[in-house]
Structures are given as structure tokens and as C-alpha cells.
Amino acid sequence: YRLTRSGQLTLLTTELTFPNGLAFSPDEKTLYVANSDPKKAIWMAYDVRPDGTIGNGRVFFDATAFVSDARPGLPDGMKVDRAGNLFAAGPGGIFIFSPAGKHLGTIVTGQPTANCAFGDDGHMLYMTANDRLLRLRLETSGLAVPAGTAPAAIAGAQAGAPAREGYVTTSDSARLFYRVMGRGGDTLIAIHGGPGVDLESIAGDFA
């Protein structure tokens, strides 16, 4: 589905049995979608049209043959680095793909691995693997860049800049992580908080 800023919900595709994680290429012209189906453990790639719809769906990588008790997990969350390489949770760990869909290697966790994210200075890859939170420092870095200020991040997203992220502090001294993403006139602000967080106190930071 695609949800616009005005609240319009559009069904983009029905071809996947268990669609799960998704990510955009650095230029936001390609959408990657994971399919968490043990019988069809694949990642799909779609062209993103100017109007936000998708087309030219094709199998980016088929990991069905990797699914086994010895390699627990299925295609799940993913992130893209600055070069457009895809870091994707899959059977046995984190699969690394080139933009062309070539399997460059796997970070083997030995656990069902659900997601990953770049953090710290952008070179640290964090991975959630069953009951473990793992991290590994990489030579490459994540796509997101420091925001500077929240309004600057929003302006950048509206201008088509890559996703930006940073922190804001609430009135009760809670430090919240945020990520701003956008395509054209649509802007998404994701704030990671928890129960009882005073979100109203940070509204002015995004004005």
C-alpha cells in the first residue's frame, strides 16, 4: 500500500503472499520488498513511477533454496547503503546484495534475524537476531545522513534529498530518535518513542 500525506490509501500490488520489509534505492526510483514466505522466500524490485505507483516487478533475489533448519529466518527488514547495496535480513543472517541483485555475501548470525539498521556515525550496522542485538562496524555507511535540524531535514526531504535522521529532546528530558523521508510533496517523519512520551513538547522542533 501507499499512503499519501493527504491520507489517500492505494493498493500497489497483490502478487506477494507475505510482504514484509521494504526499502528504496538511493535515488528512490526502485522499491525493494521482502516476501517472508518459506515456499517463496524472495526479494522483489519494482520501478517507482513519478506518480508514486510501481511497475516492472521482478525477482531481485530468490533465497528459497537457503531456507532450512540450519539457516533460520526468512526475508524481512532491510536497509540500503550509500552505494545502493542492500543489507537484508534473510535465512541465517543478513544478506548483502549489489544494486544489480548479485549476492555479495552474508553476515551469519546463526539466529532468526528480523531487521538491521545503520547507526552511530553511519558505519555501524545493528542487527536484531532472535533474543540478541548485534552490531558490526563496516567500511561502507548507511544512506541516511545527520539532519542538522528537524526543519532542515523536512526541507531536504521535500526537495528530494536522501533520508535524514537525528534526535530531539522532550520536556521531560526524553531523547527521541527521528527519521525524515520524502518523495516529491510527500514527507514522512518517523519518531521512535514509547508509552507516555510527551510528543506535544517537540512539535515546535518540526515546525
Side-chain angles (χ1 to χ4, degrees):
Y1 290 86
R2 173 179 180 262
L3 181 65
T4 67
R5 183 170 54 178
S6 62
Q8 181 181 0
L9 187 66
T10 305
L11 178 62
L12 295 179
T13 179
T14 60
E15 66 181 315
L16 299 177
T17 49
F18 297 108
N20 203 333
L22 55 86
F24 285 98
S25 60
D27 61 7
E28 296 187 344
K29 292 183 178 180
T30 303
L31 172 68
Y32 303 104
V33 182
N35 191 52
S36 299
D37 185 344
K39 296 181 180 179
K40 195 175 183 181
I42 61 174
W43 288 271
M44 292 289 292
Y46 299 89
D47 293 342
V48 181
R49 302 185 180 112
D51 65 356
T53 59
I54 59 175
N56 188 29
R58 64 269 186 198
V59 176
F60 182 72
F61 189 84
D62 189 338
T64 308
F66 290 83
V67 177
S68 68
D69 291 340
R71 298 177 66 105
L74 293 165
D76 207 327
M78 65 187 100
K79 295 294 181 291
V80 177
D81 73 3
R82 290 180 180 275
N85 298 309
L86 198 65
F87 288 73
I94 300 293
F95 283 60
I96 306 170
F97 303 113
S98 73
K102 180 180 180 181
H103 183 200
L104 303 177
T106 304
I107 301 172
V108 178
T109 65
Q111 300 288 329
T113 304
N115 214 332
C116 62
F118 289 96
D120 300 342
D121 62 354
H123 290 276
M124 190 71 74
L125 182 71
Y126 287 88
M127 299 160 278
T128 52
N130 201 9
D131 58 352
R132 305 172 186 179
L133 176 61
L134 310 175
R135 65 179 181 178
L136 179 67
R137 187 164 183 80
L138 307 175
E139 291 187 5
T140 186
S141 61
L143 179 59
V145 296
T149 64
I154 294 171
Q158 292 173 341
R164 293 176 180 267
E165 54 194 30
Y167 292 87
V168 290
T169 302
T170 66
S171 60
D172 51 2
S173 299
R175 194 162 182 255
L176 304 182
F177 171 82
Y178 70 86
R179 181 179 175 89
V180 178
M181 298 162 281
R183 180 174 179 83
D186 296 326
T187 303
L188 172 66
I189 304 172
I191 301 175
H192 296 246
V197 171
D198 182 12
L199 293 178
E200 290 186 2
S201 68
I202 64 172
D205 291 316
F206 294 93

